[in-house]
Amino acid sequence: MYDVIVVGARCAGSPLAMLLARRGHKVLVVDRATFPSDTVSTHYIHQAGLSRLKDWGILDRLVATGVPPMRHLNFSYSDIYLNGFADPIDGITEVYSPRRTVLDEILVDEARGAGAEVLEGFTVTDLVFSEDRAAGIRGRIGDGPEQEFSARFVVGADGRNSTVAGLVGAEIYRSIPAACFVYYSYYSGLDWEFQHRTGSEPQQFGVWPTHNDQHLVAVMRRRDRLREFRADIDGSFQEIFDQIDPALGADIRANGKREENFRAMSYPDNFYRRSAGPGWALVGDAGYHKDPFTGWGITDALKYTEVLAEKLHEGLSGERSIDEAVVEYVKIRDAESNGTFELTCSLAELSLTPYYDSVFRATSMSPEYTTKFFGLIAGGIPGEEFFAPSNLEKLYEEVGMPADRRILTQS
Ligand SMILES: Cc1cc2nc3c(=O)[nH]c(=O)nc-3n(C[C@H](O)[C@H](O)[C@H](O)COP(=O)(O)OP(=O)(O)OC[C@H]3O[C@@H](n4cnc5c(N)ncnc54)[C@H](O)[C@@H]3O)c2cc1C
């Protein structure tokens, strides 16, 4: 009998298993993948996420893999340019975009090293229930025999199409339709800094360095243009660079060499799903999923898995009822992630609302506020602080924003 079984062993599941095992709990984490394993993700980690890895003693190990640091970020929204970097967050002064084959394998290994049992290649097909509580899992490795494991508590860290969520009937209680599709791949031959560039047409490209002296190169457009994009994938991909930044378009045409096949995805909708019930919880994308436009999936998975670990520990050590403790994790997650969720869903439409246009335009005219903007993006400055009307009033005053452009709230 395990204290906790975790289904899914990537950025939410493995750290949860690691943190619980470090506290002396008996943990099993299973994943149908075998590691190293890739997944569709452009893998940018914010300072707030890196600070979790640092706290857990894993960051040095990640940096030692040779993942290139980024210390200057270039954002644009149409004709608004925001270039700079956030102030340090918990001593973190640079960011990374590690390949998931590298990051996830480290996380799995750290869970194992902490004493958690890790079962790779194991697909969960069913849950065990006892007296209306989740009490274990059933599944198998490949075509092997069905196996059953029991536990005091089961966590679904199994991604946005969560099997655990389906088996416990966890419903989605907040949903915003997805706007876009993405195509991305890995390029050699580029020496670009981080670029996150949205055009005056609703389209975007993102480029940043990753492992193997390569750059992750991604484009996004709204879904209604997918058919047209697919008709000439290479041409459409190049066209987005040419239209948003002709100089970078010329550079990628002349010097960029695509090293792998394109990965493509039409995004699933943004959602919050009921994430706690008798004997079970959901963490990471399983419980709360949003468009990758702001690159917050991994950081949030790391952040809230730590909250869940703390609450599970309180329950497992008998300080309080485990189910009550886990409900509190959900409350914290929902309250703290709301700003990121709303900002992400709005920006992922690929055209700024008049409110965000005014705020970002004014921000771009102030070096101080530009640094604050990067603090917001990196997780160092809460949205409630950055977007506080009093803060925006000060900003508009400082940059001499015309009175009719001083929008203080998102309608
Ligand atoms: C195109 C794209 C780009 C992205 N870019 C970024 C980015 O730049 N930065 C960022 O922070 N986030 C990004 N994200 C989001 C990020 O990938 C996710 O938020 C993150 O991976 C969530 O981690 P997770 O551990 O919750 O789930 P996942 O990474 O989805 O892992 C879930 C695991 O559960 C396992 N599993 C599922 N079902 C079962 C089962 N029945 N039995 C056993 N195992 C099971 C799967 O094999 C998988 O390994 C991107 C996402 C997409 C789609």
Side-chain angles (χ1 to χ4, degrees), residues 40-53:
V40 178
S41 173
T42 56
H43 39 76
Y44 180 91
I45 313 181
H46 292 281
Q47 283 156 280
L50 295 168
S51 85
R52 297 303 81 231
L53 297 180

Side-chain angles (χ1 to χ4, degrees), residues 320-339:
R320 59 196 294 204
S321 136
I322 197 164
D323 291 347
E324 277 173 32
V326 168
V327 165
E328 209 175 300
Y329 139 75
V330 178
K331 282 188 185 150
I332 293 169
R333 181 200 67 184
D334 286 13
E336 291 189 5
S337 62
N338 180 53

